[in-house]
Amino acid sequence: PTRVYAPKPDIVQGRTNDTAEVRALQHLCNFWGWRDATNRTLLVDGIYAQKSVQACIAMQTALKVKPDGWYGPATQRALQAFLDEMVR
């Protein structure tokens, strides 16, 4: 199996974020079924707007991380552990 890496942390709404990292996060949310508040997949555009925040909260809830919409170090660690478990 190929190891998949979680995007780098510190993706925050309202801040200039690394577009490639946001896209990676959006792809992972779509793949694993973490959707926005209306249960829709994300447009993978590299913009960390409200729908991406909502999907991040769904991911954080599933991974048992504080659901605050900030893709920070704790969320990145939990996502990486989840991804590592999926390739075992």
Side-chain angles (χ1 to χ4, degrees), residues 18-88:
D18 183 319
T19 304
E21 297 297 325
V22 174
R23 281 190 180 125
L25 181 60
Q26 291 168 329
H27 276 296
L28 286 169
C29 285
N30 285 340
F31 183 82
W32 292 107
W34 300 314
R35 308 285 190 240
D36 70 11
T38 60
N39 201 34
R40 294 182 185 207
T41 58
L42 299 173
L43 176 64
V44 179
D45 58 5
I47 300 169
Y48 195 68
Q50 189 60 36
K51 292 182 184 222
S52 295
V53 171
Q54 293 166 354
C56 182
I57 290 170
M59 174 186 60
Q60 289 170 324
T61 301
L63 299 177
K64 298 181 179 20
V65 180
K66 181 182 175 187
D68 57 9
W70 171 48
Y71 181 78
T75 303
Q76 192 255 356
R77 283 190 302 274
L79 178 56
Q80 189 62 60
F82 172 81
L83 293 172
D84 290 346
E85 188 63 31
M86 292 300 109
V87 297
R88 288 182 189 196

